[in-house]
Amino acid sequence: MSSKRCALVGGIILAVSLATPLSPAAAAEPAPQAAPPGVPPAVIDAMERDLGLSEAQVVARLANEERAAATESALTAQLGTSFGGAWLNADASKLNVATTDAAAAPAIEARGAQPVVVQRSLADLNGIMRKLDRAPNRAKAGAALWYVDVTTNTVSVQAPTVEAAEALVAAAGVDRGQVSVAATAERPMTFIDIIGGAPYYIGSSRCSVGFAVTQGSTQGFVTAGHCGRVGSRTSNPSGTFRGSSFPGNDYAWVAADSGNTATPYVRGSGGALVTVRGSTQASVGASICRSGSTTGWRCGTIQQHNATVRYAQGTVTGLTRTSACAEPGDSGGSFISGNQAQGTTSGGSGNCTTGGTTYHQPVNEPLSVYGLTLRTG
């Protein structure tokens, strides 16, 4: 058993080794043991596939991780303000626990973990993060990411250029010696499935996704024209209004940014997904349901097609009138009969407490106008 202690120079950990190393054979193939209770076989299969491990190695890793979590929790409480974070080694066979108090090393070893004496506590590192998080938006816009790195006892700030990372540090009023900066090729983006009835945002305003569509290789969704003008940016999912018509019509389409995936689904009752199969218009008197981010899944019947509505903003023609209720925020959301897409929520009267009337823009018009293809299952 080696007994090498860590050396700390300028807050940087140079070397620590307090545990007896595993033999190559033991590291490669641990002795068979049972997986922790409640771990589904699918999790084990996925870890074998994605981490390149054997089943025995997966089971050993899961058992080690379970013990490590309990140890970290106990030591977090025991060390208090001196706790500097914790991390597992590459194969999860050893838990490293950082502390600003060298006298706490025996207590850490007593729990089977490896002590690492550091300059900054986890509370100190989190304080640096709060300063960065509160920096002016202009400075944050130039960076890619920043995070607490307990393994180096610093906060890492990364941006397309080192200069942009340092600009964020300066704007946040953080001591340059408390962080590491680096250039990175990472450009974080959201990964969102585009699903009818789900919310999206235009600044501080919220509307609902109608139906997922494609235009060539571009993925996106149709929604209400009154939700945004051409060029307006959306978030969650992120994208740009490429086409919008309101008043006169009330339709629009949003081209989603890379990383957002068009799906053939609409949020149904209780969050269950309804698969869209086409866009054949249903008859007057047919049942119809709508999905929106405010009131969820609501149903009624089709009362009339080709209705003209006078809104305060102007007249909209060619709408379908229904007895399904809706409320603000549902705008742009999906109307579907059976598995056939019907349209996107435009407006109406009443609400879902006392009942109401809602109008939708038939979906086939924007599909034709913008050359869009409805995403179907």
Side-chain angles (χ1 to χ4, degrees), residues 92 104 116 121 145 174 183 205 214 252 339 342:
V116 181
S121 69
L145 65 153
V174 171
S205 299
T214 58
N339 57 25
Q342 298 297 302

Side-chain angles (χ1 to χ4, degrees), residues 19 121 133 148 168 200 228 234-235 280 301 304 310 337:
S121 69
D133 290 340
V148 170
L168 172 57
Y200 71 93
T234 70
S235 60
T280 301
T301 59
Q304 289 90 27
R310 177 66 185 176
S337 286

Side-chain angles (χ1 to χ4, degrees), residues 53-330:
L53 303 175
S54 68
E55 182 177 352
Q57 288 172 323
V58 169
V59 169
R61 185 181 185 97
L62 289 171
N64 287 340
E65 290 170 354
E66 185 176 55
R67 287 191 295 271
T71 300
E72 179 177 348
S73 178
L75 285 171
T76 300
Q78 184 176 347
L79 298 176
T81 58
S82 76
F83 179 68
W87 64 97
L88 286 160
N89 65 350
D91 67 357
S93 63
K94 196 68 179 178
L95 178 69
N96 303 281
V97 176
T99 178
T100 58
D101 182 7
I108 295 171
E109 291 177 318
R111 291 188 177 271
Q114 177 169 300
V116 181
V117 181
V118 295
Q119 181 178 352
R120 287 173 281 272
S121 69
L122 185 59
D124 293 334
L125 297 174
N126 288 336
I128 297 168
M129 281 294 294
R130 284 192 292 272
K131 287 184 178 181
L132 292 166
D133 290 340
R134 291 195 297 262
N137 287 332
R138 179 175 297 180
K140 291 190 288 190
L145 65 153
W146 49 99
Y147 55 82
V148 170
D149 186 354
V150 294
T151 68
T152 61
N153 195 232
T154 61
V155 170
S156 176
V157 180
Q158 300 186 18
T161 64
V162 169
E163 292 76 15
E166 291 181 333
L168 172 57
V169 174
V174 171
D175 184 340
R176 178 64 177 79
Q178 296 178 317
V179 300
S180 63
V181 298
T184 180
E186 282 195 54
R187 300 294 184 270
M189 65 182 69
T190 55
F191 293 105
I192 297 176
D193 284 340
I194 300 172
I195 298 174
Y200 71 93
Y201 298 86
I202 315 94
S204 60
S205 299
R206 171 171 55 85
C207 277
S208 300
V209 173
F211 297 94
V213 296
T214 58
Q215 187 189 70
S217 60
T218 301
Q219 303 186 71
F221 58 91
V222 290
T223 186
H226 72 261
C227 287
R229 297 304 188 195
V230 173
S232 296
R233 287 287 297 167
T234 70
S235 60
N236 196 42
S238 58
T240 303
F241 277 79
R242 288 278 186 87
S244 179
S245 179
F246 178 81
N249 304 293
D250 195 4
Y251 56 67
W253 93 278
V254 174
D257 292 345
S258 176
N260 300 294
T261 304
T263 73
Y265 304 122
V266 167
R267 285 183 176 177
S269 179
L273 298 181
V274 177
T275 302
V276 179
R277 303 292 185 187
S279 58
T280 301
Q281 181 174 279
S283 303
V284 170
S287 62
I288 192 167
C289 296
R290 48 150 296 277
S291 183
S293 59
T294 299
T295 59
W297 184 255
R298 304 285 177 155
C299 299
T301 59
I302 296 174
Q303 297 173 321
Q304 289 90 27
H305 290 304
N306 197 23
T308 295
V309 174
R310 177 66 185 176
Y311 296 128
Q313 301 93 329
T315 301
V316 178
T317 63
L319 300 178
T320 294
R321 184 170 183 259
T322 77
S323 63
C325 69
E327 295 180 8
D330 288 327

Side-chain angles (χ1 to χ4, degrees), residues 9-62:
V9 178
I12 304 300
I13 302 160
L14 298 182
V16 177
S17 179
L18 293 170
T20 301
L22 293 173
S23 67
E29 195 63 39
Q33 54 184 298
V39 177
V43 170
I44 295 175
D45 292 343
M47 289 179 67
E48 288 182 50
R49 179 195 66 204
D50 297 336
L51 299 182
L53 303 175
S54 68
E55 182 177 352
Q57 288 172 323
V58 169
V59 169
R61 185 181 185 97
L62 289 171

